[in-house]
Amino acid sequence: MSSDATPDPYTDPMAFGQRMQILRTKRGLSRPVAAGLLGMSPSWVKQVERGEIGMPKLPIVLRIAELLRVRDLSDLTGDQSAPVELFTGPGHSRLPAVRDAVNALTLNTDQAAPPTEHLAARLAKAWTARHEAPNHREVLGELLPGLIRDAQLAVRQTDSASARRAAQAVLSEVYSLAQFFIAYQPDPALLWRVAERGMVAAQESEDPHAIGVAAWLAAQAHRDTGPSHFDAADSMTLEALAYMERFLSEADDRVRALAGALQFEAAYTAARRGENGAAWGWWDKAKATSKKLPPSYYHPVTSFSRAIMGAHAVTVAVELRAGGESVRQAVAADATAIPSRPRLARHRIEEARAYHLDGQSETAIATLERAHEAAPETIRYNGYARRIVLEETESKHPARRQRAAVLADQLGLLAA
């Protein structure tokens, strides 16, 4: 390796500031940008990275960890005695079985594949089960291995071009379902492998819905990888929107909803960049698309609907770091209209981020408790929720500290 290569912050012991600088550089963030997002000055960032200021207190460390999307807190602090995973949640007990199903070749088998129509019906039931279950990862982890194997077999055993396209569409959306299970678990390579296979199968299917879903998920994967991938996220979103435009005049509600979901993804990425006008402009477009859907319609994959737009507004405001506006949108949003338990829990987490950003920590903790009631497996794997809970375990207010400690225990954050 070249002597001027970027060192790996996870191997040799080094100071907090050195780790912060290396991780910031790998994220593609300049000091001024990082400082602005942290609410600090560029000179403060420089002093910390040079070791002129010691490691900050936990609330600031957690803000830095969120910004740099570290795998666990010890990657930033260097303290390996009690690693705390943040944006990578714990590995689910069913992850190995799902991984094995993805990696299997299904070449040497005498098993006959189920009809594509049967697979599509099973897939629809799996999506319904996910939305209804508080332990949705457990439910998906049980269903996915069989669905993946059967969908792979269906593609291999087709006897015509049209049948193969139909089977590829189902396989693509099975991979999309798998991404909801694998996300934020400690196997990013598996997540990207499934995302890429889903996109290939979608393109082979020539089905606009399958293509839209695969692009929607790929854009999220790029955005969550960090600022250096924001352009890739935008490219994926805009290309998919341009492709789907030709179908919208005669599209069914599923395809129209996907266009709206992609418009919101553009808003989300713009908000992550700090582009206020672009973010709300794309949100307005998504809102207009939602009004073309029936009032009760709810897309089974993206959750896009009229009901979700309030939740989306909270996310845009939070990502723009607008505390007062975030709370205003949280108060205005109708959470009771969200029928999916995991999506409701995700919205509660976004509300908690809004209140925490606005300095309303007591309300933030109460809102995270409501997220846990809706879907424990959502909050357990959410880095933002974990960061807020950990920060509040250091609160100077005993009652708030106690509530945060209970949540931290429920989320597995106190395990050594």
Side-chain angles (χ1 to χ4, degrees):
M1 180 180 291
S2 167
S3 61
D4 62 353
T6 302
D8 186 340
Y10 311 120
T11 53
D12 300 322
M14 59 178 66
F16 174 88
Q18 291 174 291
R19 289 170 176 269
M20 178 177 167
Q21 181 175 8
I22 291 166
L23 291 164
R24 174 182 60 76
T25 302
K26 286 192 171 184
R27 281 288 172 198
L29 294 171
S30 67
R31 275 184 182 145
V33 169
L37 292 172
L38 290 170
M40 310 298 282
S41 68
S43 63
W44 181 88
V45 173
K46 184 176 181 180
Q47 287 176 300
V48 171
E49 292 183 346
R50 288 187 170 186
E52 297 168 9
I53 298 177
M55 184 167 63
K57 292 188 176 182
L58 182 62
I60 301 299
V61 171
L62 290 168
R63 260 190 263 163
I64 296 169
E66 177 185 336
L67 176 66
L68 302 180
R69 303 284 290 190
V70 297
R71 294 178 296 189
D72 66 57
L73 205 54
S74 63
D75 292 338
L76 180 60
T77 65
D79 179 8
Q80 301 294 324
S81 61
V84 178
E85 294 168 326
L86 288 173
F87 285 86
T88 299
H92 196 280
S93 61
R94 294 190 182 274
L95 179 61
V98 174
R99 183 191 298 118
D100 289 346
V102 171
N103 292 338
L105 289 176
T106 64
L107 290 175
N108 301 313
T109 179
D110 296 327
Q111 179 183 346
T116 299
E117 296 79 8
H118 174 72
L119 280 172
R122 281 169 58 190
L123 179 60
K125 288 183 179 179
W127 279 114
T128 299
R130 175 188 179 270
H131 289 303
E132 293 176 350
N135 59 332
H136 49 94
R137 274 191 166 84
E138 177 66 22
V139 169
L140 289 187
E142 183 177 1
L143 295 174
L144 277 168
L147 265 173
I148 292 168
R149 282 190 288 265
D150 286 349
Q152 289 172 336
L153 276 176
V155 171
R156 292 187 182 279
Q157 295 180 9
T158 53
D159 55 8
S160 70
S162 60
R164 185 175 181 83
R165 286 194 296 271
Q168 290 278 26
V170 172
L171 176 60
S172 173
E173 297 195 26
V174 168
Y175 282 138
S176 296
L177 181 65
Q179 288 179 67
F180 280 81
F181 173 82
I182 299 167
Y184 307 116
Q185 295 202 55
D187 196 340
L190 179 64
L191 178 65
W192 278 107
R193 186 155 66 252
V194 169
E196 289 166 356
R197 289 187 184 183
M199 180 59 75
V200 170
Q203 290 174 321
E204 291 290 327
S205 76
E206 300 179 7
D207 180 271
H209 185 265
I211 291 171
V213 169
W216 178 77
L217 284 165
Q220 292 182 37
H222 280 296
R223 185 180 59 243
D224 287 347
T225 301
S228 61
H229 286 247
F230 286 174
D231 286 347
D234 279 335
S235 177
M236 182 69 66
T237 300
L238 297 178
E239 186 173 353
L241 277 170
Y243 170 79
M244 296 180 71
E245 183 69 30
R246 71 189 75 171
F247 302 102
L248 291 182
S249 61
E250 300 179 1
D252 59 17
D253 290 334
R254 293 191 320 152
V255 173
R256 184 166 285 111
L258 262 176
L262 286 163
Q263 288 166 337
F264 172 69
E265 288 308 308
Y268 198 150
T269 305
R272 277 272 176 94
R273 292 181 189 271
E275 298 172 348
N276 189 299
W280 287 114
W282 278 109
W283 184 89
D284 285 338
K285 290 180 180 180
K287 176 77 169 179
T289 300
S290 74
K291 291 181 177 179
K292 297 176 183 178
L293 298 170
S296 61
Y297 180 81
Y298 197 84
H299 190 265
V301 181
T302 67
S303 295
F304 191 80
S305 57
R306 294 190 187 188
I308 210 66
M309 291 310 301
H312 282 341
V314 177
T315 296
V316 169
V318 168
E319 292 293 343
L320 288 169
R321 314 297 292 176
E325 178 65 14
S326 300
V327 170
R328 190 184 74 79
Q329 294 293 350
V331 171
D334 181 9
T336 62
I338 302 175
S340 166
R341 292 187 70 144
R343 187 60 184 85
L344 174 58
R346 166 69 189 283
H347 172 57
R348 293 299 187 202
I349 293 167
E350 295 293 275
E351 287 182 319
R353 292 177 68 197
Y355 290 119
H356 199 256
L357 187 63
D358 198 48
Q360 301 184 43
S361 297
E362 188 72 33
T363 307
I365 288 295
T367 306
L368 287 178
E369 290 170 342
R370 297 171 74 186
H372 191 266
E373 291 172 6
E377 285 193 347
T378 294
I379 185 171
R380 185 175 175 83
Y381 287 81
N382 186 280
Y384 297 114
R386 295 157 74 88
R387 194 265 292 178
I388 292 171
V389 170
L390 275 175
E391 184 172 329
E392 291 304 320
T393 60
E394 296 282 308
S395 171
K396 295 178 180 179
H397 303 277
R400 191 194 309 162
R401 188 167 62 243
Q402 175 62 27
R403 293 176 77 176
V406 171
L407 261 178
D409 186 41
Q410 291 172 329
L411 302 184
L413 292 174
L414 303 183

